[in-house]
Amino acid sequence: MNNKQIGKRFRKLREYFALSIEEVAQTVQEDPDTIRNIEEGKRSCSVEILCKYAEHFEVSLNWLVLGVGPMFLRSCKPMVAVGDGIIQVDGSNNIVLR
């Protein structure tokens, strides 16, 4: 697992929901410094934390760990990871790169 890439996806997910590190840490019952270090790629992520994120945010483990496939398991707006960005189809069927 690439810690820096996983950290980027953790941050992208947090920012997608407009949450602070403290809010995410409280939600997944982890220390804010742990979440911050994962996002910065300074610490590897345990399977337990990956599973907490996947369950709470209904995000694909394939996307979270490997950066492939759809970001979310269920979504009104389909999203697919592309490199460091996300392609989303909005309500007007326009493709938006986030």
Side-chain angles (χ1 to χ4, degrees):
M1 293 193 302
N2 183 319
N3 292 345
K4 290 197 181 280
Q5 294 303 314
I6 291 173
K8 285 182 182 181
R9 289 187 287 277
F10 267 61
R11 178 174 289 135
K12 187 179 300 271
L13 185 60
R14 179 175 60 78
E15 290 173 348
Y16 177 86
F17 287 103
L19 298 171
S20 69
I21 286 177
E22 290 74 17
E23 290 170 320
V24 170
Q26 183 177 11
T27 298
V28 297
Q29 299 175 332
E30 294 292 335
D31 184 74
D33 287 335
T34 298
I35 302 302
R36 185 174 293 105
N37 287 332
I38 291 169
E39 285 192 6
E40 293 174 0
K42 295 178 180 177
R43 176 190 166 140
S44 62
C45 184
S46 71
V47 172
E48 181 181 356
I49 294 173
L50 286 167
C51 289
K52 286 179 182 181
Y53 265 70
E55 183 178 347
H56 180 77
F57 295 109
E58 295 184 357
V59 68
S60 162
L61 279 171
N62 281 339
W63 177 80
L64 195 56
V65 175
L66 304 172
V68 297
M71 182 177 185
F72 294 103
L73 298 175
R74 293 179 281 174
S75 177
C76 297
K77 299 177 181 177
M79 298 181 151
V80 177
V82 177
D84 287 335
I86 298 171
I87 291 179
Q88 176 180 6
V89 180
D90 69 12
S92 303
N93 289 328
N94 296 316
I95 296 175
V96 179
L97 180 62
R98 299 182 90 198

